Amino acid sequence: EIVVTQSPGTLSLSPGERATLSCRASQSVSNNYLAWYQQKPGQAPRLLIYGASSRATGIPDRFSGSGSGTDFTLTISRLEPEDFAVYYCQQYGRSPWTFGQGTKVEIK
Amino acid sequence: QLQLQESGPGLVKPSETLSLTCTVSGDSISSSNYYWGWIRQPPGKGLEWIGSIYNSGSTYYNPSLESRVTISVDKSKNQFSLKLTSVTAADTAVYYCAPRELGSGSSYWGQGTLVTVSS
């Protein structure tokens, strides 16, 4: 099983700042099949990025994904008020398709 | 565009079987474009992938749940289902049906249904 570890656990930032979230896999992720999700309280997760760097439909271009192999990054270039949420990465290159534990982006 | 609706009991007794159904609209459950899957989230915790079924036959399960989980498809009703046996309080969670498109993540999610395991 590929273990996925996200860091930091919590990120305290102000609107307009840049957010950098990290996701590390214990083994290389096949085909860079790595997705990022945003989840707000009481809502289902929303797909932001798939294939490590492809934005899902309707996702603003301030969200970008990068990385390959075992190290991946989600960058939010300028935080908007609606971006404060919990973010999860998930590898889906090899079953079981494991999630990281999440990074909470909170208002500083 | 897929639309998904979970249904099933919100309360299950310990040692019994949790059964949920996801009704799909917008595409056929026979479509080979999707892994039809389930994900859960215990209250206040993170996401856990439970398992998926592909092409109405191939199943993939989380090893931590594999001995208790069955995912199946009902083509006549355009539904897929989750059964989890011998439940305990640790199985209390919001359960989401969330198909994953080939090569992509899960763009479509049900609204989630809270299942509480309690006597």
Tab-separated table of all heavy atoms in Angstrom, chain A residues 1 33 35 37 39 42-47 49-51 56-57 88 90 92-93 95-102, chain B residues 35 39 41 45-49 51-52 60-64 96 100-107 109-112:
chain	number	residue	atom	x	y	z
A	1	GLU	N	0.833	-1.197	0.000
A	1	GLU	CA	0.000	0.000	0.000
A	1	GLU	C	0.868	1.247	0.000
A	1	GLU	O	1.847	1.338	0.729
A	1	GLU	CB	-0.901	-0.011	1.233
A	1	GLU	CG	-1.709	1.257	1.441
A	1	GLU	CD	-2.656	1.178	2.610
A	1	GLU	OE1	-3.171	0.074	2.903
A	1	GLU	OE2	-2.897	2.220	3.241
A	33	TYR	N	-0.522	9.586	-11.240
A	33	TYR	CA	-1.957	9.622	-10.964
A	33	TYR	C	-2.174	10.130	-9.536
A	33	TYR	O	-2.406	9.361	-8.595
A	33	TYR	CB	-2.570	8.250	-11.170
A	33	TYR	CG	-2.933	7.912	-12.595
A	33	TYR	CD1	-3.411	6.648	-12.925
A	33	TYR	CD2	-2.806	8.837	-13.615
A	33	TYR	CE1	-3.749	6.321	-14.226
A	33	TYR	CE2	-3.134	8.528	-14.923
A	33	TYR	CZ	-3.612	7.267	-15.219
A	33	TYR	OH	-3.949	6.949	-16.524
A	35	ALA	N	-4.269	13.193	-7.369
A	35	ALA	CA	-5.349	14.168	-7.402
A	35	ALA	C	-5.346	15.003	-6.132
A	35	ALA	O	-4.890	14.551	-5.065
A	35	ALA	CB	-6.692	13.462	-7.552
A	37	TYR	N	-8.020	17.475	-3.796
A	37	TYR	CA	-9.408	17.821	-3.521
A	37	TYR	C	-9.466	18.933	-2.475
A	37	TYR	O	-8.612	19.006	-1.584
A	37	TYR	CB	-10.177	16.617	-2.962
A	37	TYR	CG	-10.278	15.445	-3.909
A	37	TYR	CD1	-9.295	14.469	-3.943
A	37	TYR	CD2	-11.360	15.323	-4.768
A	37	TYR	CE1	-9.384	13.396	-4.815
A	37	TYR	CE2	-11.462	14.250	-5.637
A	37	TYR	CZ	-10.464	13.300	-5.652
A	37	TYR	OH	-10.567	12.238	-6.516
A	39	GLN	N	-12.146	20.461	0.423
A	39	GLN	CA	-13.373	20.168	1.146
A	39	GLN	C	-13.683	21.261	2.152
A	39	GLN	O	-12.837	21.634	2.963
A	39	GLN	CB	-13.286	18.819	1.878
A	39	GLN	CG	-14.636	18.402	2.479
A	39	GLN	CD	-14.599	17.059	3.173
A	39	GLN	OE1	-13.595	16.679	3.762
A	39	GLN	NE2	-15.709	16.331	3.108
A	42	GLY	N	-19.217	20.392	5.889
A	42	GLY	CA	-20.556	19.982	5.494
A	42	GLY	C	-20.733	19.708	4.019
A	42	GLY	O	-21.858	19.452	3.571
A	43	GLN	N	-19.651	19.763	3.261
A	43	GLN	CA	-19.739	19.539	1.820
A	43	GLN	C	-18.915	18.331	1.400
A	43	GLN	O	-17.959	17.946	2.085
A	43	GLN	CB	-19.241	20.765	1.048
A	43	GLN	CG	-20.071	22.008	1.264
A	43	GLN	CD	-19.564	23.176	0.416
A	43	GLN	OE1	-18.798	23.001	-0.529
A	43	GLN	NE2	-20.018	24.381	0.755
A	44	ALA	N	-19.288	17.764	0.268
A	44	ALA	CA	-18.465	16.728	-0.331
A	44	ALA	C	-17.191	17.356	-0.889
A	44	ALA	O	-17.156	18.550	-1.227
A	44	ALA	CB	-19.229	16.028	-1.444
A	45	PRO	N	-16.124	16.584	-0.970
A	45	PRO	CA	-14.900	17.104	-1.597
A	45	PRO	C	-15.140	17.516	-3.047
A	45	PRO	O	-16.051	17.002	-3.707
A	45	PRO	CB	-13.939	15.912	-1.507
A	45	PRO	CG	-14.430	15.107	-0.354
A	45	PRO	CD	-15.934	15.247	-0.409
A	46	ARG	N	-14.295	18.441	-3.510
A	46	ARG	CA	-14.345	18.903	-4.892
A	46	ARG	C	-12.998	18.625	-5.534
A	46	ARG	O	-11.956	19.012	-4.975
A	46	ARG	CB	-14.670	20.410	-4.950
A	46	ARG	CG	-14.678	20.972	-6.364
A	46	ARG	CD	-15.141	22.398	-6.425
A	46	ARG	NE	-14.247	23.370	-5.855
A	46	ARG	CZ	-14.038	24.609	-6.347
A	46	ARG	NH1	-14.678	24.970	-7.461
A	46	ARG	NH2	-13.246	25.441	-5.736
A	47	LEU	N	-13.028	18.017	-6.706
A	47	LEU	CA	-11.786	17.729	-7.423
A	47	LEU	C	-11.203	19.019	-7.977
A	47	LEU	O	-11.875	19.766	-8.681
A	47	LEU	CB	-12.055	16.742	-8.555
A	47	LEU	CG	-10.861	16.383	-9.445
A	47	LEU	CD1	-9.811	15.600	-8.644
A	47	LEU	CD2	-11.322	15.567	-10.659
A	49	ILE	N	-7.438	19.060	-9.023
A	49	ILE	CA	-6.322	18.678	-9.890
A	49	ILE	C	-6.317	17.167	-10.049
A	49	ILE	O	-6.557	16.440	-9.079
A	49	ILE	CB	-4.972	19.114	-9.267
A	49	ILE	CG1	-4.909	20.618	-9.034
A	49	ILE	CG2	-3.792	18.630	-10.125
A	49	ILE	CD1	-4.767	21.469	-10.269
A	50	TYR	N	-6.049	16.683	-11.258
A	50	TYR	CA	-5.836	15.262	-11.482
A	50	TYR	C	-4.595	15.093	-12.351
A	50	TYR	O	-4.137	16.049	-12.984
A	50	TYR	CB	-7.067	14.610	-12.138
A	50	TYR	CG	-7.367	15.119	-13.520
A	50	TYR	CD1	-6.861	14.481	-14.653
A	50	TYR	CD2	-8.152	16.262	-13.702
A	50	TYR	CE1	-7.124	14.960	-15.918
A	50	TYR	CE2	-8.413	16.750	-14.968
A	50	TYR	CZ	-7.905	16.092	-16.077
A	50	TYR	OH	-8.170	16.567	-17.338
A	51	GLY	N	-4.068	13.900	-12.330
A	51	GLY	CA	-2.849	13.662	-13.099
A	51	GLY	C	-1.710	14.575	-12.681
A	51	GLY	O	-0.873	14.951	-13.493
A	56	ALA	N	-9.141	20.387	-13.022
A	56	ALA	CA	-10.470	19.865	-13.326
A	56	ALA	C	-11.337	20.975	-13.914
A	56	ALA	O	-11.016	22.168	-13.812
A	56	ALA	CB	-11.107	19.286	-12.064
A	57	THR	N	-12.441	20.574	-14.500
A	57	THR	CA	-13.345	21.518	-15.143
A	57	THR	C	-13.832	22.582	-14.159
A	57	THR	O	-14.286	22.256	-13.060
A	57	THR	CB	-14.553	20.776	-15.726
A	57	THR	OG1	-14.102	19.798	-16.663
A	57	THR	CG2	-15.502	21.739	-16.423
A	88	TYR	N	-7.017	17.658	0.385
A	88	TYR	CA	-6.538	16.284	0.426
A	88	TYR	C	-5.882	15.933	-0.901
A	88	TYR	O	-6.372	16.325	-1.961
A	88	TYR	CB	-7.695	15.305	0.640
A	88	TYR	CG	-8.386	15.421	1.974
A	88	TYR	CD1	-9.532	16.201	2.122
A	88	TYR	CD2	-7.908	14.742	3.095
A	88	TYR	CE1	-10.180	16.302	3.347
A	88	TYR	CE2	-8.548	14.838	4.322
A	88	TYR	CZ	-9.690	15.626	4.437
A	88	TYR	OH	-10.324	15.734	5.644
A	90	GLN	N	-4.702	12.459	-3.169
A	90	GLN	CA	-5.000	11.030	-3.292
A	90	GLN	C	-4.216	10.472	-4.457
A	90	GLN	O	-4.228	11.037	-5.551
A	90	GLN	CB	-6.492	10.794	-3.555
A	90	GLN	CG	-6.883	9.310	-3.660
A	90	GLN	CD	-8.218	9.080	-4.334
A	90	GLN	OE1	-8.670	9.880	-5.157
A	90	GLN	NE2	-8.882	7.984	-3.994
A	92	TYR	N	-4.018	7.528	-7.152
A	92	TYR	CA	-4.907	6.515	-7.734
A	92	TYR	C	-4.172	5.717	-8.810
A	92	TYR	O	-4.776	5.163	-9.727
A	92	TYR	CB	-6.193	7.150	-8.277
A	92	TYR	CG	-6.004	8.271	-9.277
A	92	TYR	CD1	-6.060	8.023	-10.637
A	92	TYR	CD2	-5.782	9.578	-8.856
A	92	TYR	CE1	-5.912	9.037	-11.564
A	92	TYR	CE2	-5.615	10.603	-9.767
A	92	TYR	CZ	-5.682	10.335	-11.121
A	92	TYR	OH	-5.521	11.357	-12.038
A	93	GLY	N	-2.859	5.663	-8.657
A	93	GLY	CA	-2.069	4.887	-9.610
A	93	GLY	C	-2.048	3.404	-9.309
A	93	GLY	O	-1.822	2.574	-10.186
A	95	SER	N	-3.999	0.427	-6.604
A	95	SER	CA	-4.948	0.113	-5.542
A	95	SER	C	-4.203	-0.425	-4.323
A	95	SER	O	-3.256	-1.208	-4.484
A	95	SER	CB	-5.937	-0.940	-6.046
A	95	SER	OG	-6.878	-1.275	-5.051
A	96	PRO	N	-4.581	-0.073	-3.108
A	96	PRO	CA	-5.679	0.824	-2.740
A	96	PRO	C	-5.342	2.285	-3.003
A	96	PRO	O	-4.207	2.712	-2.794
A	96	PRO	CB	-5.864	0.560	-1.244
A	96	PRO	CG	-4.509	0.166	-0.767
A	96	PRO	CD	-3.904	-0.614	-1.900
A	97	TRP	N	-6.322	3.032	-3.451
A	97	TRP	CA	-6.145	4.426	-3.829
A	97	TRP	C	-6.195	5.300	-2.586
A	97	TRP	O	-7.252	5.729	-2.155
A	97	TRP	CB	-7.212	4.820	-4.857
A	97	TRP	CG	-7.193	3.952	-6.065
A	97	TRP	CD1	-6.093	3.355	-6.622
A	97	TRP	CD2	-8.292	3.554	-6.876
A	97	TRP	NE1	-6.457	2.623	-7.726
A	97	TRP	CE2	-7.796	2.726	-7.909
A	97	TRP	CE3	-9.660	3.830	-6.833
A	97	TRP	CZ2	-8.610	2.176	-8.885
A	97	TRP	CZ3	-10.479	3.288	-7.807
A	97	TRP	CH2	-9.957	2.468	-8.816
A	98	THR	N	-5.057	5.596	-2.045
A	98	THR	CA	-4.946	6.157	-0.710
A	98	THR	C	-4.946	7.677	-0.689
A	98	THR	O	-4.397	8.329	-1.584
A	98	THR	CB	-3.659	5.637	-0.051
A	98	THR	OG1	-2.593	5.637	-1.012
A	98	THR	CG2	-3.843	4.209	0.441
A	99	PHE	N	-5.539	8.205	0.380
A	99	PHE	CA	-5.577	9.641	0.630
A	99	PHE	C	-4.506	10.033	1.647
A	99	PHE	O	-4.157	9.237	2.538
A	99	PHE	CB	-6.931	10.051	1.228
A	99	PHE	CG	-8.075	10.066	0.260
A	99	PHE	CD1	-8.896	8.953	0.121
A	99	PHE	CD2	-8.343	11.194	-0.500
A	99	PHE	CE1	-9.963	8.972	-0.758
A	99	PHE	CE2	-9.408	11.219	-1.383
A	99	PHE	CZ	-10.223	10.102	-1.510
A	100	GLY	N	-4.057	11.271	1.527
A	100	GLY	CA	-3.307	11.871	2.613
A	100	GLY	C	-4.250	12.286	3.726
A	100	GLY	O	-5.482	12.237	3.571
A	101	GLN	N	-3.687	12.722	4.830
A	101	GLN	CA	-4.491	13.037	6.008
A	101	GLN	C	-5.095	14.437	5.957
A	101	GLN	O	-5.924	14.788	6.807
A	101	GLN	CB	-3.650	12.874	7.291
A	101	GLN	CG	-2.703	14.022	7.588
A	101	GLN	CD	-1.400	13.981	6.800
A	101	GLN	OE1	-1.277	13.307	5.768
A	101	GLN	NE2	-0.412	14.702	7.304
A	102	GLY	N	-4.699	15.229	4.977
A	102	GLY	CA	-5.273	16.550	4.790
A	102	GLY	C	-4.414	17.688	5.309
A	102	GLY	O	-3.643	17.518	6.266
B	35	TYR	N	-14.744	4.009	-12.672
B	35	TYR	CA	-14.674	3.100	-11.545
B	35	TYR	C	-15.747	3.589	-10.567
B	35	TYR	O	-15.651	4.708	-10.067
B	35	TYR	CB	-13.306	3.147	-10.873
B	35	TYR	CG	-12.177	2.592	-11.705
B	35	TYR	CD1	-11.509	3.382	-12.636
B	35	TYR	CD2	-11.755	1.267	-11.543
B	35	TYR	CE1	-10.463	2.872	-13.393
B	35	TYR	CE2	-10.706	0.750	-12.291
B	35	TYR	CZ	-10.074	1.565	-13.213
B	35	TYR	OH	-9.042	1.058	-13.961
B	39	ILE	N	-16.324	6.101	-0.787
B	39	ILE	CA	-15.357	6.745	0.090
B	39	ILE	C	-16.103	7.124	1.362
B	39	ILE	O	-17.271	7.504	1.301
B	39	ILE	CB	-14.746	7.985	-0.599
B	39	ILE	CG1	-13.861	7.550	-1.779
B	39	ILE	CG2	-13.941	8.833	0.382
B	39	ILE	CD1	-13.491	8.666	-2.729
B	41	GLN	N	-15.901	9.052	5.490
B	41	GLN	CA	-15.229	10.053	6.311
B	41	GLN	C	-15.825	10.031	7.711
B	41	GLN	O	-16.942	10.522	7.923
B	41	GLN	CB	-15.387	11.443	5.681
B	41	GLN	CG	-14.627	12.528	6.390
B	41	GLN	CD	-14.630	13.834	5.596
B	41	GLN	OE1	-15.618	14.186	4.959
B	41	GLN	NE2	-13.512	14.538	5.632
B	45	LYS	N	-12.771	13.602	10.805
B	45	LYS	CA	-11.543	12.970	10.332
B	45	LYS	C	-11.401	13.075	8.818
B	45	LYS	O	-12.203	13.733	8.154
B	45	LYS	CB	-11.509	11.511	10.788
B	45	LYS	CG	-11.465	11.360	12.314
B	45	LYS	CD	-11.245	9.929	12.728
B	45	LYS	CE	-11.146	9.817	14.251
B	45	LYS	NZ	-10.910	8.405	14.682
B	46	GLY	N	-10.392	12.406	8.288
B	46	GLY	CA	-10.094	12.486	6.875
B	46	GLY	C	-10.852	11.467	6.035
B	46	GLY	O	-11.697	10.720	6.523
B	47	LEU	N	-10.518	11.463	4.759
B	47	LEU	CA	-11.179	10.611	3.779
B	47	LEU	C	-10.533	9.235	3.726
B	47	LEU	O	-9.306	9.113	3.783
B	47	LEU	CB	-11.111	11.257	2.389
B	47	LEU	CG	-11.759	12.637	2.270
B	47	LEU	CD1	-11.367	13.288	0.947
B	47	LEU	CD2	-13.273	12.533	2.388
B	48	GLU	N	-11.355	8.215	3.587
B	48	GLU	CA	-10.858	6.843	3.447
B	48	GLU	C	-11.528	6.199	2.237
B	48	GLU	O	-12.759	6.127	2.166
B	48	GLU	CB	-11.151	6.023	4.699
B	48	GLU	CG	-10.648	4.590	4.605
B	48	GLU	CD	-10.946	3.765	5.841
B	48	GLU	OE1	-11.967	4.011	6.505
B	48	GLU	OE2	-10.143	2.858	6.150
B	49	TRP	N	-10.705	5.736	1.302
B	49	TRP	CA	-11.230	5.026	0.141
B	49	TRP	C	-11.649	3.621	0.564
B	49	TRP	O	-10.874	2.906	1.184
B	49	TRP	CB	-10.168	4.984	-0.948
B	49	TRP	CG	-10.564	4.234	-2.168
B	49	TRP	CD1	-11.418	4.643	-3.154
B	49	TRP	CD2	-10.107	2.947	-2.567
B	49	TRP	NE1	-11.531	3.685	-4.123
B	49	TRP	CE2	-10.730	2.633	-3.786
B	49	TRP	CE3	-9.235	2.015	-1.998
B	49	TRP	CZ2	-10.491	1.443	-4.459
B	49	TRP	CZ3	-8.992	0.822	-2.669
B	49	TRP	CH2	-9.630	0.543	-3.883
B	51	GLY	N	-13.531	1.281	-1.722
B	51	GLY	CA	-13.367	0.355	-2.832
B	51	GLY	C	-14.123	0.812	-4.060
B	51	GLY	O	-14.862	1.800	-4.021
B	52	SER	N	-13.917	0.085	-5.149
B	52	SER	CA	-14.542	0.424	-6.431
B	52	SER	C	-14.830	-0.824	-7.228
B	52	SER	O	-14.219	-1.873	-7.002
B	52	SER	CB	-13.623	1.343	-7.245
B	52	SER	OG	-13.406	2.569	-6.606
B	60	TYR	N	-12.075	-3.666	-6.530
B	60	TYR	CA	-10.859	-3.223	-5.861
B	60	TYR	C	-11.271	-2.732	-4.483
B	60	TYR	O	-12.142	-1.873	-4.369
B	60	TYR	CB	-10.203	-2.074	-6.636
B	60	TYR	CG	-9.973	-2.375	-8.092
B	60	TYR	CD1	-11.001	-2.237	-9.019
B	60	TYR	CD2	-8.732	-2.807	-8.546
B	60	TYR	CE1	-10.807	-2.524	-10.358
B	60	TYR	CE2	-8.518	-3.085	-9.887
B	60	TYR	CZ	-9.564	-2.944	-10.780
B	60	TYR	OH	-9.364	-3.230	-12.108
B	61	TYR	N	-10.652	-3.290	-3.456
B	61	TYR	CA	-11.049	-2.952	-2.098
B	61	TYR	C	-9.854	-2.492	-1.277
B	61	TYR	O	-8.721	-2.935	-1.482
B	61	TYR	CB	-11.682	-4.167	-1.403
B	61	TYR	CG	-12.962	-4.669	-2.038
B	61	TYR	CD1	-13.150	-6.028	-2.266
B	61	TYR	CD2	-13.983	-3.795	-2.385
B	61	TYR	CE1	-14.320	-6.513	-2.836
B	61	TYR	CE2	-15.159	-4.270	-2.950
B	61	TYR	CZ	-15.321	-5.624	-3.176
B	61	TYR	OH	-16.493	-6.092	-3.732
B	62	ASN	N	-10.134	-1.649	-0.299
B	62	ASN	CA	-9.133	-1.280	0.688
B	62	ASN	C	-8.816	-2.533	1.519
B	62	ASN	O	-9.717	-3.143	2.083
B	62	ASN	CB	-9.685	-0.170	1.584
B	62	ASN	CG	-8.643	0.427	2.494
B	62	ASN	OD1	-7.760	-0.281	3.001
B	62	ASN	ND2	-8.735	1.717	2.727
B	63	PRO	N	-7.552	-2.914	1.584
B	63	PRO	CA	-7.210	-4.135	2.330
B	63	PRO	C	-7.681	-4.112	3.780
B	63	PRO	O	-7.967	-5.171	4.349
B	63	PRO	CB	-5.678	-4.179	2.251
B	63	PRO	CG	-5.337	-3.399	1.038
B	63	PRO	CD	-6.375	-2.322	0.943
B	64	SER	N	-7.771	-2.931	4.349
B	64	SER	CA	-8.192	-2.840	5.755
B	64	SER	C	-9.666	-3.203	5.939
B	64	SER	O	-10.103	-3.466	7.055
B	64	SER	CB	-7.941	-1.430	6.283
B	64	SER	OG	-8.808	-0.495	5.653
B	96	TYR	N	-19.777	8.390	1.017
B	96	TYR	CA	-19.992	9.037	-0.270
B	96	TYR	C	-19.877	8.002	-1.392
B	96	TYR	O	-18.945	7.170	-1.373
B	96	TYR	CB	-18.923	10.087	-0.537
B	96	TYR	CG	-18.907	11.280	0.381
B	96	TYR	CD1	-17.991	11.364	1.432
B	96	TYR	CD2	-19.755	12.361	0.169
B	96	TYR	CE1	-17.937	12.478	2.259
B	96	TYR	CE2	-19.707	13.484	0.989
B	96	TYR	CZ	-18.803	13.530	2.027
B	96	TYR	OH	-18.752	14.647	2.839
B	100	ARG	N	-14.885	7.369	-10.129
B	100	ARG	CA	-13.648	7.967	-10.621
B	100	ARG	C	-13.524	7.663	-12.105
B	100	ARG	O	-13.536	6.516	-12.521
B	100	ARG	CB	-12.438	7.426	-9.873
B	100	ARG	CG	-11.147	8.102	-10.301
B	100	ARG	CD	-9.962	7.610	-9.490
B	100	ARG	NE	-9.547	6.261	-9.846
B	100	ARG	CZ	-8.912	5.922	-10.952
B	100	ARG	NH1	-8.645	6.823	-11.868
B	100	ARG	NH2	-8.544	4.671	-11.152
B	101	GLU	N	-13.412	8.745	-12.898
B	101	GLU	CA	-13.264	8.595	-14.337
B	101	GLU	C	-11.868	8.054	-14.642
B	101	GLU	O	-10.897	8.376	-13.935
B	101	GLU	CB	-13.467	9.943	-15.013
B	101	GLU	CG	-13.823	9.873	-16.476
B	101	GLU	CD	-14.361	11.212	-16.961
B	101	GLU	OE1	-14.448	12.151	-16.167
B	101	GLU	OE2	-14.697	11.289	-18.161
B	102	LEU	N	-11.750	7.262	-15.683
B	102	LEU	CA	-10.448	6.703	-16.046
B	102	LEU	C	-9.421	7.812	-16.220
B	102	LEU	O	-9.665	8.801	-16.914
B	102	LEU	CB	-10.560	5.901	-17.350
B	102	LEU	CG	-10.816	4.408	-17.195
B	102	LEU	CD1	-12.139	4.145	-16.517
B	102	LEU	CD2	-10.752	3.709	-18.545
B	103	GLY	N	-8.306	7.656	-15.564
B	103	GLY	CA	-7.210	8.611	-15.691
B	103	GLY	C	-7.375	9.886	-14.898
B	103	GLY	O	-6.487	10.740	-14.881
B	104	SER	N	-8.501	10.009	-14.233
B	104	SER	CA	-8.790	11.248	-13.502
B	104	SER	C	-9.163	10.938	-12.067
B	104	SER	O	-9.180	9.786	-11.637
B	104	SER	CB	-9.931	11.986	-14.199
B	104	SER	OG	-10.223	13.203	-13.541
B	105	GLY	N	-9.448	11.989	-11.336
B	105	GLY	CA	-9.963	11.810	-9.982
B	105	GLY	C	-11.479	11.742	-10.009
B	105	GLY	O	-12.085	11.546	-11.057
B	106	SER	N	-12.070	11.916	-8.835
B	106	SER	CA	-13.534	11.836	-8.712
B	106	SER	C	-14.141	13.226	-8.851
B	106	SER	O	-14.110	14.021	-7.913
B	106	SER	CB	-13.922	11.222	-7.363
B	106	SER	OG	-13.464	9.894	-7.259
B	107	SER	N	-14.665	13.504	-10.036
B	107	SER	CA	-15.294	14.804	-10.287
B	107	SER	C	-16.699	14.874	-9.717
B	107	SER	O	-17.213	15.962	-9.451
B	107	SER	CB	-15.365	15.080	-11.792
B	107	SER	OG	-14.093	15.149	-12.368
B	109	TRP	N	-19.567	13.528	-6.908
B	109	TRP	CA	-19.781	12.956	-5.579
B	109	TRP	C	-21.256	13.016	-5.237
B	109	TRP	O	-21.948	13.968	-5.592
B	109	TRP	CB	-19.014	13.759	-4.528
B	109	TRP	CG	-17.526	13.689	-4.661
B	109	TRP	CD1	-16.756	14.219	-5.662
B	109	TRP	CD2	-16.616	13.071	-3.747
B	109	TRP	NE1	-15.434	13.956	-5.426
B	109	TRP	CE2	-15.315	13.263	-4.254
B	109	TRP	CE3	-16.766	12.373	-2.532
B	109	TRP	CZ2	-14.169	12.774	-3.622
B	109	TRP	CZ3	-15.636	11.898	-1.890
B	109	TRP	CH2	-14.365	12.095	-2.432
B	110	GLY	N	-21.716	11.988	-4.525
B	110	GLY	CA	-23.025	12.104	-3.919
B	110	GLY	C	-22.964	13.126	-2.788
B	110	GLY	O	-21.892	13.628	-2.440
B	111	GLN	N	-24.120	13.424	-2.224
B	111	GLN	CA	-24.156	14.429	-1.150
B	111	GLN	C	-23.628	13.868	0.164
B	111	GLN	O	-23.337	14.624	1.093
B	111	GLN	CB	-25.586	14.970	-0.965
B	111	GLN	CG	-26.504	14.126	-0.097
B	111	GLN	CD	-27.060	12.911	-0.816
B	111	GLN	OE1	-26.717	12.634	-1.967
B	111	GLN	NE2	-27.940	12.189	-0.138
B	112	GLY	N	-23.468	12.552	0.214
B	112	GLY	CA	-22.984	11.911	1.433
B	112	GLY	C	-24.133	11.540	2.349
B	112	GLY	O	-25.111	12.285	2.464
